[in-house]
């Protein structure tokens, strides 16, 4: 009997000891797993100390960011997830490298803005085009990252570009003033406004830089309808041919002047006739240089590629994305697939003369762009 009581007391004592040890273990050690705290926005040093106190091994990965350097941007595992002690927890921290001033390109024509971004050492990112009745076509409305700010070199700069007012077919609107632009930039602006600018008239002048648009037919600001043809008057950068011809004619009579020696009057008249005949071909002035015209024609005939880039916006469910291309041969579908939000679609569509690319998402019109 006494032996049984002793065994019972011993069993109770063992249970109490095990329970105490278990309580102490959970109080002071927390078990084999811990819950990951939210460390985003913390400095890298503070975040590492907190992880070490939890028995975790912090690993820091630097990522390019235009935010404050040395700050936790992302963590793995996420906040609230359980992780076993002794495991590695990853902290993605904004790089502390050198920052550069990002230029403000709002209000600039897209082609000029693109050149300014690349000259500053940054990379052109996505281009989203929207209708805006208050902003002329081809002008940058907004940019991301916003300026002014200090960002790492080679940062991608995304822009929002105006398509001008959404006037629709047959509606009347003012012709964009493209005087002073490069001929290719002017074509792009007019294309975005729904106009065609295939005709280019080159004018001989040295007062305006080569390939700069001097005027348009009709004039900028004139009322035009969608799909109208616009002629660009462009500088060839050459001196006018008429001035060159007059100079040659003035020099030609000066050659036979020395007639003091009367050796043979006949040969001198022949020489004079020959030189006058050589000067005559310069008299019929050709107002339009042939080289730029041939160059323009060559650009229309050469094979080109339309580089289509479309970032799919955030979606609650997959939608069907259709991209259609229209040229002289008619309309064709070049892309048709269900896409998810955040996907980035890249297409290179070959064409020769001109091409119209139209994007539909979920059966709804998104945007349209013309390529020349």
């Amino acid at each position: 009997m006494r032996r049984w009581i002793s065994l019972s007391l011993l069993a109770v004592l063992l249970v109490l000891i095990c329970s105490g040890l278990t309580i102490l273990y959970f109080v002071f050690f927390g078990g084999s797993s811990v819950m990951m705290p939210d460390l985003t926005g913390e400095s890298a040093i503070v975040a590492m100390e907190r992880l070490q106190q939890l028995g975790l091994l912090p690993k820091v990965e630097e990522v390019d960011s235009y935010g404050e350097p040395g700050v936790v941007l992302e963590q793995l595992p996420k906040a609230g997830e359980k992780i076993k002690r002794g495991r590695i927890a990853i902290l993605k921290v904004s790089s502390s490298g050198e920052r550069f001033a990002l230029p403000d390109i709002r209000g600039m024509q897209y082609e000029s803005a693109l050149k300014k971004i690349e000259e500053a050492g940054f990379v052109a990112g996505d281009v989203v085009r929207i209708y805006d009745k208050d902003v002329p076509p081809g002008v940058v409305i907004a940019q991301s990252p916003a300026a002014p700010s200090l960002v790492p070199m080679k940062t991608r700069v995304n822009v929002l570009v105006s398509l001008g007012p959404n006037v629709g077919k047959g509606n009347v609107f003012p012709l964009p003033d493209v005087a002073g632009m490069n001929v290719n930039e002017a074509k792009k602006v007019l294309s975005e406004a729904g106009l065609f600018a295939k005709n280019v008239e080159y004018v001989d002048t040295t007062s305006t830089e080569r390939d700069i648009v001097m005027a348009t037919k009709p004039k900028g600001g004139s009322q035009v309808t969608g799909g109208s043809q616009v002629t660009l008057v462009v500088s060839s950068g050459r001196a006018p041919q008429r001035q060159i011809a007059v100079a040659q004619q003035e020099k030609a009579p000066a050659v036979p002047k020395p007639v003091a020696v009367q050796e043979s009057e006949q040969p001198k008249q022949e020489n004079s006739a020959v030189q006058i005949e050589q000067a005559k071909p310069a008299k019929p002035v050709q107002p339009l240089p042939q080289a730029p015209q041939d160059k323009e024609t060559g650009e229309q005939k050469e094979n080109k590629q339309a580089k289509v880039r479309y970032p799919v916006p955030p979606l609650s469910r997959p939608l069907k994305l259709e991209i259609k291309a229209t040229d002289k041969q008619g309309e064709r579908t070049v892309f048709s697939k269900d896409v998810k939000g955040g996907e980035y679609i890249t297409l290179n569509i070959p064409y020769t003369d001109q091409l119209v690319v139209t994007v539909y998402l979920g059966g709804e019109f998104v945007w349209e762009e013309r390529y020349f």
Side-chain angles (χ1 to χ4, degrees), residues 252-253 255-256 265-281:
V255 178
E265 208 60 44
Q266 191 70 22
K268 290 185 178 185
Q269 291 176 359
E270 290 176 1
N271 289 340
S272 175
V274 170
Q275 291 183 10
I276 292 173
E277 284 298 319
Q278 290 175 349
K280 279 182 180 178

Side-chain angles (χ1 to χ4, degrees), residues 167-230:
V167 295
K169 289 186 177 180
N171 287 354
V172 178
F173 58 95
L175 175 67
D177 187 3
V178 295
M181 297 183 187
N182 180 275
V183 61
N184 293 326
E185 183 179 353
K187 286 182 178 181
K188 185 79 172 175
V189 171
L190 295 174
S191 171
E192 290 168 346
L195 303 170
F196 294 94
K198 288 178 59 179
N199 297 336
V200 178
E201 292 182 3
Y202 282 90
V203 175
D204 288 338
T205 178
T206 55
S207 60
T208 303
E209 189 178 348
R210 180 181 177 182
D211 291 332
I212 297 300
V213 177
M214 302 169 61
T216 58
K217 298 179 182 179
K219 294 181 179 179
S222 303
Q223 297 296 312
V224 294
T225 57
S228 298
Q229 179 69 46
V230 179

Side-chain angles (χ1 to χ4, degrees), residues 242-256:
R242 189 177 188 85
Q243 295 178 4
I244 297 174
V246 170
Q248 289 176 347
Q249 289 175 0
E250 288 175 352
K251 289 179 182 179
V255 178

